[in-house]
Amino acid sequence: MSTITGFNNGIYAYLENSQYNPNNSMTITTTGTVTGLNGIDIYAKYRQNFQSNEANTTITTNKVYGATDGIRAYHRSLLGTLSITTNGVIKGETGIGINARNYGNYLNIVTNDAVSGGNGGISAIANASGNYVSALSIIANGDVTSTNGTGIYA
């Protein structure tokens, strides 16, 4: 198991595709603990400028701790999927445990342990545009709590 610690963010990943390279997907997998001491534990942002291809963002984690959000993931691909699976405790101290936005077809979140955040446990927004349809699935196999906000906001 590895340990990843960042002064600001534990992991920061950004991928932007163009029409010349449209089919890339983003995958983040951790087996140990990831910590963002002054920011976000895992920050993943995927943006596809060429809207007709499918591209996915997949995040699979063990234990994560962020001073603000635990996991913050934004995915923009009209035919794509944002999938988050957690296998350990997720904590966003002052923000949200899991903060996910998908501007594509599917947003899937599966938690296999507790998720907590100061301003929310899980915030999940699926928002397709045009003739596309969004689907949202949240399966919480552990407690989801917030000290100052909503447990699950979807």
Side-chain angles (χ1 to χ4, degrees):
M1 292 188 150
S2 61
T3 299
I4 301 168
T5 303
F7 179 77
N8 287 319
N9 300 318
I11 295 173
Y12 180 93
Y14 178 78
L15 177 61
E16 184 168 353
N17 281 339
S18 69
Q19 65 182 347
Y20 305 107
N21 194 16
N23 294 317
N24 287 336
S25 292
M26 178 187 294
T27 301
I28 298 170
T29 303
T30 65
T31 58
T33 301
V34 182
T35 304
L37 295 174
N38 295 296
I40 301 162
D41 174 47
I42 297 175
Y43 187 113
K45 184 175 183 179
Y46 177 91
R47 180 181 169 147
Q48 185 178 59
N49 291 324
F50 191 68
Q51 298 298 323
S52 64
N53 293 314
E54 179 178 341
N56 303 311
T57 298
T58 304
I59 301 170
T60 306
T61 68
N62 197 15
K63 183 178 178 182
V64 298
Y65 170 81
T68 56
D69 290 348
I71 297 172
R72 183 183 298 173
Y74 297 108
H75 179 83
R76 180 178 174 244
S77 171
L78 286 181
L79 300 176
T81 298
L82 171 57
S83 295
I84 300 170
T85 302
T86 65
N87 296 308
V89 174
I90 308 298
K91 184 172 185 178
E93 186 68 36
T94 62
I96 299 170
I98 298 174
N99 186 357
R101 304 284 181 271
N102 187 35
Y103 302 95
N105 279 95
Y106 305 101
L107 172 54
N108 303 312
I109 299 172
V110 177
T111 65
N112 293 307
D113 209 324
V115 177
S116 65
N119 286 324
I122 297 173
S123 176
I125 305 297
N127 184 17
S129 64
N131 294 325
Y132 299 96
V133 177
S134 282
L136 170 64
S137 171
I138 301 172
I139 299 171
N141 294 312
D143 295 339
V144 179
T145 59
S146 175
T147 54
N148 295 312
T150 302
I152 296 176
Y153 176 86

